Amino acid sequence: MDKAKQELFRKYKQTGSLEVRNELVLLYMDIVRGCVFSLKGNSDAEDLVNEGVIGLIAAVETFDADRGVKFETYANLKIKGAIIDYIRRQDRVPRLVRRFGKELDAAYGVLYNQLGRQPNDIEIAKYMNLTPTQFSKRLADTVGVNTLSFEELLYEDNINSMSFSDSFDDSVGSRLYSNERKQVIIEAVASLKPKEQQVISLYYYENLKLREIAEVLGLSESRVCQIHSKCMLVLKSKLESYISEI
């Protein structure tokens, strides 16, 4: 954090000035926009930005530089937590799609335990009594559900870890937990096929929309949705396994 921002935080902490708080919010609006791009739910971008700003305001108001955590990290978690809560409250996903998402998640878990590896699409389709074509279509339809399910686990788990101790980053246990979790995700991404890794990289690191990823990779948007949805199942399964063991 540069000295000018440090001074603004010091001033806000001393005075509680709304003018200073709002100045800080404007300085960090890029974090909100980045979070909105990464959490592409079924809501309008404007609605997500509004919720993200609420999360950013909360981050500014509760941030304590003495804990050693970077504000950008802290704000990112607060903002994504606020957006996820909003998307969950809207519950705009059709009931059948949401139900299939849960059934798909369960089927993946059962087959993974039985096979000792990631099940392929044909194996999952057979387990769910669907033809490959039916499965592919439904997998594409659940991209939003599977993405939100993974990100709820990822970001809410991060946010919860920040309440383990008042010292957070100064806590050896919290640092180890954070580093281990990152390594689990890195290894999970590394286990994906090259095309799947490309989709995840373009989505999360380049902030491209699924339609844009399809154009970059020369695939149909439906196929990209299928790939992304399957990746979310894999990553969520790996993260859930890690969390259940700690």
Side-chain angles (χ1 to χ4, degrees):
M1 184 186 299
D2 61 42
K3 291 184 179 179
K5 291 177 180 177
Q6 288 179 345
E7 178 60 25
L8 282 174
F9 271 109
R10 185 194 63 79
K11 186 175 180 180
Y12 177 66
K13 192 171 183 179
Q14 290 179 342
T15 66
S17 167
L18 290 179
E19 183 178 349
V20 175
R21 184 201 70 182
N22 293 340
E23 186 175 353
L24 283 166
V25 168
L26 290 174
L27 286 173
Y28 285 103
M29 275 299 296
D30 281 348
I31 302 180
V32 173
R33 285 187 280 270
C35 290
V36 170
F37 273 118
S38 70
L39 291 171
K40 304 176 182 71
N42 295 307
S43 302
D44 293 335
E46 184 177 350
D47 292 335
L48 299 186
V49 168
N50 291 337
E51 294 299 318
V53 170
I54 292 173
L56 177 57
I57 290 173
V60 170
E61 292 178 342
T62 58
F63 178 63
D64 186 352
D66 293 335
R67 294 185 179 183
V69 63
K70 292 182 179 180
F71 176 74
E72 289 83 354
T73 301
Y74 182 71
N76 194 284
L77 297 178
K78 285 286 192 180
I79 293 166
K80 286 191 172 178
I83 293 174
I84 284 172
D85 282 343
Y86 172 76
I87 295 174
R88 188 193 296 115
R89 290 197 307 270
Q90 299 309 299
D91 195 22
R92 295 178 179 175
V93 180
R95 185 177 302 174
L96 290 177
V97 173
R98 185 174 295 279
R99 186 174 69 184
F100 179 77
K102 291 180 179 179
E103 292 172 350
L104 175 61
D105 197 30
Y108 181 90
V110 170
L111 289 172
Y112 185 88
N113 289 329
Q114 288 180 352
L115 301 172
R117 60 171 173 78
Q118 297 176 23
N120 59 45
D121 291 358
I122 294 177
E123 290 167 334
I124 300 175
K126 183 178 180 181
Y127 181 86
M128 300 184 74
N129 294 316
L130 296 170
T131 67
T133 300
Q134 289 172 327
F135 176 75
S136 294
K137 182 181 185 307
R138 294 193 184 188
L139 182 63
D141 290 341
T142 59
V143 62
V145 171
N146 290 330
T147 301
L148 183 58
S149 179
F150 167 68
E151 293 180 347
E152 281 180 327
L153 180 66
L154 176 64
Y155 297 119
E156 288 185 357
D157 185 54
N158 281 334
I159 292 169
N160 290 338
S161 74
M162 300 185 82
S163 63
F164 289 167
S165 165
D166 287 339
S167 58
F168 184 51
D169 272 5
D170 296 328
S171 163
V172 174
S174 292
R175 285 204 304 273
L176 288 175
Y177 176 70
S178 178
N179 290 336
E180 287 176 356
R181 186 180 56 244
K182 289 178 183 177
Q183 189 59 37
V184 167
I185 296 172
I186 290 172
E187 291 175 359
V189 172
S191 73
L192 299 173
K193 297 176 182 178
K195 187 69 70 177
E196 294 171 338
Q197 291 185 31
Q198 282 184 296
V199 170
I200 292 300
S201 177
L202 292 171
Y203 187 87
Y204 282 106
Y205 295 101
E206 301 299 329
N207 285 327
L208 296 186
K209 298 178 180 179
L210 297 175
R211 172 180 51 77
E212 295 169 333
I213 295 174
E215 294 174 357
V216 170
L217 299 182
L219 300 172
S220 68
E221 185 173 352
S222 176
R223 180 56 185 152
V224 169
C225 288
Q226 293 166 16
I227 294 172
H228 190 277
S229 192
K230 182 70 177 295
C231 290
M232 293 297 97
L233 287 174
V234 175
L235 300 183
K236 182 171 180 285
S237 175
K238 296 284 188 181
L239 188 56
E240 282 180 330
S241 296
Y242 165 69
I243 292 173
S244 67
E245 292 174 359
I246 60 176

